[in-house]
Amino acid sequence: MALHNLTLTQISKGLEAGDFTSVEITQHFLDRIEQLDKGDNGLNSFITVTPEQALADAKAADERRAAGDASTWTGVPFAHKDIFCTDGTLTTCGSKMLGNFVPPYDATVVANMKAQGAVCLGKTNMDEFAMGSSNESSFFGPVKNPWNHETIPGGSSGGSAAAVAARLVPAATGTDTGGSIRQPSALCGLTGLKPTYGRCSRWGMIAYASSLDQAGPMARTAEDAAMMLNVMASFDEKDSTSIEQDVPDYTATLNNELAGKVIGLPKEFFPESLDGEMKQAVMNAIAEFEKLGCTVKEISLPSTDLAIPAYYVVAPAECSANLSRMDGVRFGYRCDDPKDVEDLYKRSRGEGFGDEVKRRIMIGTYALSTGFYDAYYVKAQKIRRLIKNDFVKAFEDVDFIMGPVTPTPAFKAGEKSGDPVEMYMEDKFTLSCNLAGLPGMSIPAGLINGLPVGLQIMGDYWREADMLNAAHKFQQVTDFHNAAPQGIE
Amino acid sequence: MALDRSDVTNIADLARLAIAEDNIGQYQEELSSILALVEQMNAVNTDDVQPLAHPADAVQRLRADVVSEENQREKYMANAPAQENGLFLVPKVVE
Amino acid sequence: MEWEVVIGLEIHAQLATKSKIFSGSSTAFGAEPNTQASLLDLGLPGVLPVFNEQALAMAVKFGCAIDAEIGKVSVFDRKNYFYPDSPKGYQTTQLHHPIVGMGHIDITLEDGSTRRINVTRAHLEEDAGKSLHEDFHGQSGIDLNRAGTPLIEIVSEPEIRSAKEAVAYFKKMHSIVTYLGICDGDLSQGSMRCDCNVSLRPKGQEEFGTRTEIKNVNSFRFVEQAINVEIERQMDILEDGGTITQETRLFDANKMETRSMRSKEVANDYRYFPCPDLLPVVIDDEYIQTIRDSLPELPDQKKQRLMDENGLSEYDAGVLSATREMADYFEAVAKTCGDYKLAANWVMGELSAALNKNEVDIKNSPVSAAQLGAMIARIIDNTISSKGGKDVFAALWEEKGDDVDALIDSLGLKQVSDSGAIEAIVDDVIANSPKQVEQYVSAEPDKRGKMIGYFVGQVMKASKGSANPGMVNKVLKEKLDAKC
């Protein structure tokens, strides 16, 4: 089998067995990136590729292994979403605003991977400041979906999704504020997990909406996602919202039996309007879980429809303040010849931010302004409570909640970019997890018209191990996760 | 709530975003439609609901009062668009 | 029309923590620009705050000291505004759930009466950096060393009625925070700053008039001047039938005027909302009680003790307890010499006169409390006279020596307290003054007291001033009375 078709777990084992060196496999992936990602026909899934650093790290990893000091991750190649600060390496967050920003420090997730000797190949493309569901808002150009170059890969972690789907890297980090790991994972046929809020440190992860943002793995299999979460997750004293809780070995429980587990199917996730093929794909996947001994139960999450309106107050409000530091004074883009400080702010920000970012900043600014705060912001926080309460109640009776990740498979590039509200509807099934702070994942559930779709698995707080276990058992008896875009093999 | 042009320019001013005159109409339309979406929240009564600011019920952790940072001015200021003598430069600030 | 002045003060006090409120940078004053600005203080992308436990403890300490409600759940909010010295584009502060709720302090006015001023609240927040306006080719320089220094903002009720009361309130707050050791109180370095809200209303009217806010007044004297100047300005406008504009003003001490700040700007909308990077700060009764139990003696308590236990007058006790520096100095002197009243006389007399005359702050006094105490002890044990004490004090002030005993020796101020030696001189003087002895003996007994002065003078002269005057008096009286 070609090296790039190996999963993360297989690469880790191959390195351990001495089947290949880290330098060899790193070079192999770097060559693929060069061939498939660049130029007019390339995927454009990377904003920055760091071959020299990667090869140096790979060499160091091989030496570490020779010295008998290797871990599961030593020498294993992967990529970071360009939202994570990397000391000495350009970190743009998909924006012109940070087009020249070289962080002087590492994000905790970055440091965690580094400490294991993992080899980062570069920084993946994304919607600007993680705002988008199609990767069309990146200043560095849209990303193509490897399954069909005319369609979008999803967003905001679209670069990570496309890169992993095209086997340019075996896995990549992502972040999920309203579905930004799960939706592109679904649309590119990957296994992606957004952990419980507070599981992965947010230190060094450029904030979009602080109370919703959470980092997580994007890989081909549940086993790989578990291996990755083992390292990404940590308690971090530098992040006040990081929760002091031990990180279990997520790979240790992958093969637990599922018999007796109860799956809740919220009727709000299967509306009349849901695409028939999508519904069929999800129900087929559920049937597999039944075969594995799970029972299925219809439940209700009555506030589901309020997730979109609440999210589009909370996230913009937080981002409107989070992005105020982008002012052209200490780092980042500065306009030419500002005539005074106000001009410096207005033009640097007006020229440095793209349309979607400006829209969300303006919505957030409006929602927080005098006279509207209670009607918008406080109201949204109350809705947030209702959404959380729905889940808390539901998880008294069920182990997992399942449903679709997206309403449809990947849509055509440009199809929704003219209408922000229509684009927002793309996230209707993923937002509530973020508002409640719950873990959610997407696993491949087949193809519709040759394009992958995902099954969403939601668990109770801190139940990532159970979710990965369920996903892994599913992948033991199904083949969806092994499907690859045409021409990739 | 439908915004008018002056709402858009006021919001843009508050957010310090330069917006081209030609684009105000488009923002007006887009922001109004987003607000219409957002106002679906009004369909439910939330009078007795406590707002939720954080998903977790955790409380603030405290840091010991220790000086743990060293001077790294050169590295930290390397991204500055304009600097002199260890200061960030901006157009003259008038009080 | 007769106007009533309404004043409310907002005092910002920098907390004396070692590190900043949300980062591990030093808060030390005077470092090279931006050398104490961490990733967090610079507001770089991706950074996150973690709250300093000492900032919390100090704020709670303050709350306990002013007998305030302590917020068991306090919440940090973001106050959004753009300014170059505000690196994140918002200030982290507390709006709806401050750490300290309603409390009060008592101020003493010049006539000796006291007034209670209620304190609405005190909340924690971060300080901003500094914009330096020296000419950098027509630009301003930004130094973020101060950004993130913890502050408590202490907000009074609008109950202050004159500039003098405002100063008394500010001084009392200064005294409380320095007694508590939660602020170094150094106004010249900006450790305490005061915003003064001033308005006027016709006497008897309940409704407040429109107020103006004078920002960042940084000395006691300026608070008084700024408020008086602003009262006059407002009164002139109102008397002429004009209206006051609600605005922020700046005090110019050179021109003795206040002037409008940022008047061109539209009213700011701070868009406060709970900071999602920080969780609610939750403390329990035990935490509060532990802090309450560890409070040091506060100015009012010290004053009472100096009166009740150490026998000082109310006035003296008030002066000596008014500032932490004065109180610490005085108590050190008193403990060294063992006599509170004598110590009070010296500190309020000789020392205060010298400090005032030379415009020296007590903390920079050339005469240390240990030296002054040692010197007073030598008066008490009769080694020197009070007059000799003044000479020693003058020598110490002029830094002619450090050691009190060595100075007494070198200045030849040691009193003769040897009774044999004094008796010999007394005998000599009596023998050489037959006429005066005669007068003494023949005088009415109640007139003799006055007449003894002559003999004392002679003895002191003969001893070149070194004889212990108390002993001289005693021996003279014995010997003269024996002749009657």
Side-chain angles (χ1 to χ4, degrees):
Chain A
M1 183 157 39
L3 286 178
H4 56 266
N5 282 323
L6 298 175
T7 65
L8 202 59
T9 309
Q10 287 165 340
I11 290 170
S12 174
K13 287 187 177 146
L15 285 167
E16 201 189 334
D19 297 344
F20 41 80
T21 64
S22 175
V23 169
E24 283 163 8
I25 194 151
T26 298
Q27 188 62 60
H28 178 81
F29 280 112
L30 288 170
D31 290 345
R32 276 183 72 77
I33 295 170
E34 190 60 37
Q35 287 158 21
L36 298 171
D37 207 50
K38 304 293 155 203
D40 289 347
N41 297 318
L43 294 171
N44 197 29
S45 65
F46 278 83
I47 291 173
T48 304
V49 185
T50 51
E52 280 150 33
Q53 185 64 49
L55 289 167
D57 291 347
K59 192 160 170 280
D62 285 333
E63 284 162 9
R64 187 168 158 180
R65 187 171 294 281
D69 182 29
S71 75
T72 325
W73 266 98
T74 308
V76 177
F78 78 105
H80 275 304
K81 184 177 182 179
D82 207 21
I83 199 169
F84 293 98
C85 286
T86 41
D87 194 349
T89 299
L90 186 69
T91 300
T92 69
C93 226
S95 182
K96 178 182 180 182
M97 183 58 93
L98 296 181
N100 57 2
F101 178 59
V102 179
Y105 76 110
D106 277 332
T108 296
V109 165
V110 171
N112 288 352
M113 302 292 287
K114 247 187 205 174
Q116 297 292 319
V119 177
C120 177
L121 305 188
K123 309 291 291 291
T124 60
N125 205 342
M126 56 182 285
D127 277 301
E128 185 180 5
F129 287 108
M131 298 176 199
S133 309
S134 66
N135 228 302
E136 292 168 292
S137 78
S138 170
F139 175 68
F140 301 92
V143 178
K144 296 190 179 90
N145 188 327
W147 290 84
N148 177 343
H149 284 204
E150 287 178 5
T151 65
I152 56 95
S156 66
S157 311
S160 287
V164 177
R167 274 61 162 166
L168 305 186
V169 274
T173 55
T175 62
D176 190 317
T177 305
S180 285
I181 287 175
R182 289 160 288 159
Q183 184 252 15
S185 291
L187 302 190
C188 290
L190 305 182
T191 302
L193 170 64
K194 175 207 105 69
T196 307
Y197 182 81
R199 175 73 293 178
C200 293
S201 169
R202 294 188 299 113
W203 174 261
M205 198 174 103
I206 298 173
Y208 158 25
S210 311
S211 76
L212 304 165
D213 296 341
Q214 184 55 208
M218 298 173 76
R220 300 222 309 272
T221 67
E223 193 179 26
D224 287 1
M227 172 175 156
M228 197 162 187
L229 187 59
N230 272 355
V231 180
M232 289 181 75
S234 64
F235 165 64
D236 186 2
E237 288 188 342
K238 295 202 285 290
D239 175 1
S240 293
T241 61
S242 169
I243 308 293
E244 196 160 2
Q245 210 175 118
D246 289 340
V247 180
D249 178 356
Y250 295 106
T251 61
T253 48
L254 290 172
N255 286 303
N256 286 1
E257 288 305 318
L258 296 183
K261 298 284 184 195
V262 182
I263 295 170
L265 301 182
K267 60 175 193 236
E268 293 80 6
F269 278 57
F270 299 90
E272 286 289 305
S273 57
L274 183 64
D275 178 86
E277 285 180 287
M278 177 62 81
K279 185 173 180 186
Q280 196 53 52
V282 170
M283 293 319 291
N284 288 347
I286 305 284
E288 292 294 336
F289 279 102
E290 287 183 295
K291 285 187 213 158
L292 288 163
C294 298
T295 54
V296 172
K297 190 177 161 178
E298 185 179 294
I299 60 166
S300 176
L301 298 170
S303 305
T304 299
D305 285 348
L306 297 169
I308 294 183
Y311 177 88
Y312 280 99
V313 173
V314 173
E318 292 184 7
C319 95
S320 74
N322 283 335
L323 268 55
S324 292
R325 68 190 61 199
M326 315 285 165
D327 60 3
V329 175
R330 297 164 318 287
F331 56 85
Y333 178 78
R334 172 182 280 206
C335 65
D336 287 335
D337 303 319
K339 69 177 201 293
D340 55 28
V341 171
E342 289 298 308
D343 187 42
L344 166 71
Y345 289 150
K346 287 182 181 170
R347 280 202 291 126
S348 297
R349 291 165 60 77
E351 294 164 18
F353 291 136
D355 286 344
E356 181 59 23
V357 172
K358 278 188 265 198
R359 271 194 291 273
R360 294 200 195 184
I361 290 175
M362 288 169 77
I363 287 291
T365 300
Y366 183 73
L368 291 174
S369 62
T370 308
F372 301 100
Y373 179 77
D374 288 332
Y376 291 105
Y377 186 76
V378 176
K379 181 83 181 180
Q381 298 288 45
K382 289 180 168 188
I383 302 279
R384 200 172 173 182
R385 170 84 61 190
L386 295 179
I387 289 168
K388 178 177 172 169
N389 289 349
D390 280 359
F391 280 108
V392 168
K393 189 159 167 281
F395 279 118
E396 286 171 5
D397 299 326
V398 303
D399 297 291
F400 305 109
I401 294 173
M402 296 191 190
V405 180
T406 58
T408 60
F411 50 87
K412 283 216 163 68
E415 195 179 303
K416 298 187 182 180
S417 49
D419 184 350
V421 169
E422 204 192 328
M423 186 74 92
Y424 297 170
M425 293 301 163
E426 182 67 13
D427 302 326
K428 64 202 257 189
F429 300 130
T430 49
L431 297 175
S432 41
C433 253
N434 301 79
L435 289 165
L438 288 164
M441 72 186 293
S442 173
I443 60 172
L447 303 177
I448 296 176
N449 297 330
L451 288 169
V453 294
L455 170 74
Q456 186 167 204
I457 306 175
M458 290 170 269
D460 205 349
Y461 296 101
W462 309 102
R463 294 302 175 136
E464 290 84 356
D466 294 347
M467 293 157 64
L468 287 161
N469 166 212
H472 179 70
K473 293 294 273 188
F474 176 85
Q475 290 177 348
Q476 295 304 292
V477 296
T478 58
D479 222 12
F480 303 130
H481 60 288
N482 289 327
Q486 247 187 349
I488 291 302
E489 300 272 6
Chain B
M1 180 158 164
L3 301 178
D4 58 30
R5 287 178 72 87
S6 70
D7 291 329
V8 173
T9 52
N10 285 343
I11 299 166
D13 275 349
L14 260 184
R16 302 296 189 276
L17 293 169
I19 300 243
E21 188 69 25
D22 290 349
N23 294 336
I24 294 175
Q26 194 192 334
Y27 277 110
Q28 189 188 338
E29 200 178 299
E30 288 167 349
L31 298 182
S32 295
S33 72
I34 297 169
L35 289 174
L37 169 75
V38 157
E39 280 155 10
Q40 291 172 10
M41 293 191 300
N42 297 334
V44 282
N45 183 306
T46 51
D47 289 351
D48 300 324
V49 182
Q50 276 298 310
L52 179 74
H54 288 283
D57 287 322
V59 300
Q60 181 59 38
R61 242 181 303 114
L62 301 175
R63 178 177 63 78
D65 181 25
V66 176
V67 176
S68 54
E69 296 286 341
E70 289 168 8
N71 172 26
Q72 298 198 57
R73 183 170 79 180
E74 205 174 317
K75 188 175 186 189
Y76 290 177
M77 288 184 74
N79 283 292
Q83 59 169 303
E84 194 174 306
N85 298 333
L87 295 160
F88 297 100
L89 293 188
V90 296
K92 191 115 188 144
V93 178
V94 211
E95 289 229 322
Chain C
M1 190 178 309
E2 211 181 331
W3 299 95
E4 183 179 42
V5 177
V6 176
I7 300 166
L9 296 189
E10 291 164 19
I11 296 172
H12 291 85
Q14 285 184 345
L15 296 176
T17 54
K18 295 187 196 78
S19 64
K20 293 186 178 176
I21 185 167
F22 299 121
S23 85
S25 303
S26 170
T27 54
F29 180 83
E32 284 293 302
N34 290 312
T35 56
Q36 289 173 184
S38 66
L39 298 167
L40 189 95
D41 309 316
L42 294 174
L44 290 189
V47 299
L48 296 168
V50 186
F51 184 35
N52 182 335
E53 63 177 4
Q54 274 304 308
L56 172 65
M58 288 179 180
V60 172
K61 212 178 244 191
F62 174 76
C64 292
I66 64 162
D67 205 15
E69 297 159 30
I70 305 296
K72 287 188 193 162
V73 178
S74 57
V75 174
F76 284 106
D77 297 289
R78 291 181 179 179
K79 176 183 182 181
N80 293 287
Y81 68 95
F82 287 87
Y83 207 67
D85 63 16
S86 167
K88 300 185 299 300
Y90 58 82
Q91 180 193 31
T92 309
T93 179
Q94 298 181 320
L95 179 67
H96 294 299
H97 304 282
I99 184 71
V100 175
M102 186 67 98
H104 56 83
I105 63 168
D106 292 330
I107 58 171
T108 306
L109 307 177
E110 276 180 343
D111 64 1
S113 63
T114 60
R115 259 202 79 194
R116 173 154 293 188
I117 305 291
N118 287 299
V119 176
T120 317
R121 56 182 283 154
H123 59 260
L124 281 157
E125 61 184 26
E126 56 186 347
D127 209 343
K130 281 181 184 164
S131 306
L132 306 174
H133 307 299
E134 298 98 86
D135 200 37
F136 295 99
H137 331 290
Q139 303 181 81
S140 293
I142 307 298
D143 173 12
L144 296 172
N145 279 349
R146 198 180 67 177
T149 299
L151 296 174
I152 42 170
E153 179 175 337
I154 308 160
V155 183
S156 83
E157 286 287 286
E159 294 175 349
I160 298 166
R161 291 290 171 266
S162 70
K164 281 209 170 0
E165 281 186 21
V167 174
Y169 172 88
F170 191 10
K171 281 186 172 167
K172 189 59 172 280
M173 279 302 176
H174 182 270
S175 163
I176 290 171
V177 297
T178 52
Y179 263 68
L180 291 170
I182 62 169
C183 176
D184 69 17
D186 193 332
L187 277 70
S188 66
Q189 292 180 357
S191 296
M192 277 183 97
R193 283 116 60 190
C194 185
D195 299 340
C196 313
N197 290 288
V198 179
S199 66
L200 301 184
R201 63 182 170 191
K203 200 138 202 163
Q205 179 182 305
E206 199 155 319
E207 197 188 327
F208 291 125
T210 306
R211 68 185 162 85
T212 59
E213 181 180 13
I214 315 166
K215 275 268 182 215
N216 269 330
V217 190
N218 61 2
S219 85
F220 298 130
R221 192 157 50 96
F222 288 169
V223 165
E224 183 166 355
Q225 292 173 346
I227 291 175
N228 279 331
V229 163
E230 181 59 16
I231 290 171
E232 244 171 85
R233 188 189 71 88
Q234 291 190 14
M235 205 176 294
D236 286 348
I237 293 173
L238 293 169
E239 295 278 351
D240 288 348
T243 53
I244 306 298
T245 311
Q246 182 167 343
E247 62 184 356
T248 304
R249 300 181 71 83
L250 213 57
F251 176 58
D252 185 331
N254 294 321
K255 295 185 184 158
M256 279 303 259
E257 62 176 29
T258 65
R259 63 167 184 273
S260 183
M261 253 173 105
R262 305 171 194 175
S263 56
K264 275 176 251 167
E265 256 182 64
V266 277
N268 216 335
D269 185 336
Y270 291 121
R271 290 161 282 133
Y272 287 93
F273 75 106
C275 179
D277 287 332
L278 290 160
L279 300 169
V281 179
V282 177
I283 52 177
D284 57 18
D285 287 323
E286 195 189 332
Y287 178 89
I288 298 167
Q289 196 54 46
T290 308
I291 287 187
R292 206 183 289 285
D293 292 344
S294 69
L295 285 185
E297 187 180 48
L298 289 164
D300 290 348
Q301 295 163 332
K302 191 182 287 279
K303 180 180 171 188
Q304 203 59 48
R305 172 174 61 81
L306 292 177
M307 289 160 63
D308 296 349
E309 292 176 26
N310 304 110
L312 299 192
S313 71
E314 182 171 359
Y315 177 78
D316 288 3
V319 171
L320 293 169
S321 63
T323 69
R324 164 92 185 256
E325 280 160 359
M326 172 63 97
D328 284 353
Y329 189 100
F330 165 68
E331 293 233 63
V333 173
K335 280 184 183 126
T336 309
C337 74
D339 186 327
Y340 274 71
K341 279 188 170 168
L342 204 51
N345 291 342
W346 277 92
V347 170
M348 292 177 65
E350 205 69 11
L351 177 73
S352 293
L355 292 173
N356 285 340
K357 188 177 156 208
N358 296 289
E359 292 182 356
V360 177
D361 201 88
I362 194 162
K363 71 170 182 234
N364 300 321
S365 169
V367 182
S368 72
Q371 289 170 331
L372 184 55
M375 189 276 283
I376 298 171
R378 289 290 168 263
I379 296 175
I380 294 167
D381 71 10
N382 286 322
T383 305
I384 55 171
S385 63
S386 288
K387 193 185 159 297
K390 290 189 180 182
D391 294 340
V392 174
F393 181 87
L396 287 168
W397 185 273
E398 285 155 25
E399 294 177 328
K400 286 181 177 158
D402 292 332
D403 185 72
V404 168
D405 288 330
L407 276 173
I408 291 171
D409 278 346
S410 66
L411 296 172
L413 295 172
K414 203 168 214 156
Q415 300 188 113
V416 176
S417 299
D418 167 22
S419 58
I422 288 177
E423 275 182 42
I425 303 170
V426 168
D427 288 344
D428 245 25
V429 168
I430 290 176
N432 293 327
S433 316
K435 218 169 99 189
Q436 285 79 4
V437 172
E438 181 59 37
Q439 285 171 355
Y440 184 92
V441 172
S442 58
E444 294 293 320
D446 61 329
K447 299 253 172 74
R448 285 178 187 152
K450 266 190 184 166
M451 301 174 71
I452 207 163
Y454 166 80
F455 299 97
V456 174
Q458 292 302 306
V459 175
M460 294 310 284
K461 201 168 158 190
S463 73
K464 294 183 181 119
S466 70
N468 177 334
M471 257 176 120
V472 170
N473 256 303
K474 186 168 157 266
V475 174
L476 267 170
K477 202 159 180 306
E478 279 168 16
K479 299 226 175 213
L480 287 168
D481 287 353
K483 293 186 185 290
C484 300

